[in-house]
Amino acid sequence: MLGIARDISERKKAQEKFKILFETSRDSIMTLEPPSWKFTSANRSTLDLFDANNENEFTSKCFWDVSPNIQSDGSPSSKKAKIMINKAMNEGSNFFEWTHRTLNGIKFPATVLLTRVDIEEGKPFLQATIRDISEQKKAEEKIKKQNIKMKKLDKIKSDFLNITSHELRTPMSAIKGYIQMIIDKTLGDINDDQINALNVVLRNSNRLDNLIQDILDLSRLESGTLKFIAESSDIKQLVKDSIETMQSFALSKNMNIEAHIEDNIPKMKIDQERIKQVFINLLNNAIKFSPDGSTIDIRVKKQKKDVLFEIQDFGRGIPKKKQNKIFDTFYQVEGGMDRKFGGAGLGLSISRGIVLAHGGEIYLDSFEGKGSTFSFTLPKKPVKDMEGRFKEVDIFKLENNNETKKRYKEKNTYRKGV
Ligand code: ADP
């Protein structure tokens, strides 16, 4: 007898505890029962959420009585609510978004979790947990509007750069052509001082032309209008041609470029001129930022799904904390100081765009004072829609790419010095 009494008292205590939990929960919790699916109990938060004065006022209602007649997808609330209830009853639980309405007629977006509760005696019923997500929806709406605005601004910027740089290039060709003709004395004799002066004009015109070309490339990449012509390409030849283009610059600094290309590299369907542009840009940087007399190593290796290209220098390197910005547009490690080398911080952004458009990836491993290795991969299986790929890439995600960090940790390949 004593045992039974203790059991009853323990059960009572447990019931009390659950009642307190139910009542004090900040979530709006209620129960609803078949066959009418009217609410049979509701905690304080529920009454507050639906502006009900007391439990009786609320428990006389059905789920669809505290909803507008029509849901946001156009379906009648009563019909849709019954579908949701059935689903929870058959599958154990059902989580969904719903538009509710308070007893004062104010609509609000919510999430609903319906959970089937089975008890020993009596029929199973449902427990509902409802959360008002008005604030979350407002924030989402704000972000959506901001995104649309940013996309519009981005398009204006791209169009502006595209049109202006195109318009600037046309007169540049005429300017350069005529200067060259004067230097070549095609239009009559000129003296050495005049030739020297015109050579300075020509050099600066070329620099301006390169900058305009870079801006044009970048804006076209961003707007998905840069055309790629993919054709079967001999990689060895491509690397050789790129080295040849940079050879005189390397020799002017008494530098040696060594290429190690595996014999089994397959022909690849790529835009040769664009990939050459990447190579030349990486080589140009490697030469620019390395001391006279040092070496540059190029390695090309076949991997399982792609071909890996590495350009390693033993120059000044890039400080660790600046490495994640290195592919940003107009970014230069030493700011204005680096501009005196003749660049504007666009080469790496363009290179990244070209590699990504080909379905590859580009990485940096660098140690300050020791040198840098820029590597990129190109997939053996060519990708479709090169033009649209860069536009779709989430640059923020890319910059936080763990893969890049992993490679950085794995590799420490500074075997050779100057
Ligand atoms: P730039 O035309 O200025 O070279 P890039 O986008 O090609 O533009 O490079 C951006 C910056 O990254 C450079 O200005 C330089 O500060 C740094 N950088 C690039 N490559 C190297 C390298 N191999 N060694 C050291 N710094 C480099």
Side-chain angles (χ1 to χ4, degrees), residues 281 285-286 288-289 313 316-318 326 331-334 338 343-349 372 374:
N281 178 51
N285 281 345
K288 264 196 311 195
F289 300 111
D313 67 61
R316 72 177 196 197
I318 296 160
I326 205 77
Y331 184 77
Q332 294 184 305
V333 171
E334 300 290 336
D338 284 350
L346 292 176
L348 287 178
S349 321
S372 311
F374 280 89

Side-chain angles (χ1 to χ4, degrees), residues 236-327:
K236 213 169 197 162
Q237 192 58 44
L238 186 150
V239 177
K240 247 174 94 182
D241 290 350
S242 311
I243 295 174
E244 227 169 81
T245 309
M246 297 314 296
Q247 200 63 268
S248 64
F249 183 27
L251 285 176
S252 74
K253 290 185 72 178
N254 198 21
M255 288 172 74
N256 193 24
I257 304 174
E258 284 181 18
H260 313 271
I261 306 170
E262 283 182 355
D263 284 331
N264 57 354
I265 306 295
K267 279 202 158 194
M268 299 183 82
K269 201 159 180 241
I270 51 173
D271 186 322
Q272 283 194 53
E273 289 312 310
R274 290 294 173 189
I275 296 299
K276 234 187 257 173
Q277 185 180 351
V278 174
F279 240 103
I280 289 170
N281 178 51
L282 296 179
L283 274 174
N284 187 34
N285 281 345
I287 301 169
K288 264 196 311 195
F289 300 111
S290 297
D292 289 12
S294 61
T295 303
I296 291 167
D297 277 348
I298 295 178
R299 289 180 291 274
V300 183
K301 296 175 199 160
K302 191 169 94 170
Q303 305 194 125
K304 213 168 161 194
K305 289 191 173 160
D306 50 36
V307 173
L308 173 70
F309 301 81
E310 293 181 317
I311 290 120
Q312 179 175 21
D313 67 61
F314 301 91
R316 72 177 196 197
I318 296 160
K320 206 170 165 194
K321 63 174 189 294
K322 297 196 169 174
Q323 289 179 7
N324 63 344
K325 286 203 164 124
I326 205 77
F327 294 101

Side-chain angles (χ1 to χ4, degrees), residues 62 80 87 100 117 130 157 167 242 271 286 340 405:
C62 287
K80 201 170 173 190
K87 194 164 180 244
H100 270 299
V117 182
I130 297 179
K157 183 205 77 181
E167 288 306 309
S242 311
D271 186 322
K340 75 177 194 305
K405 287 179 189 151

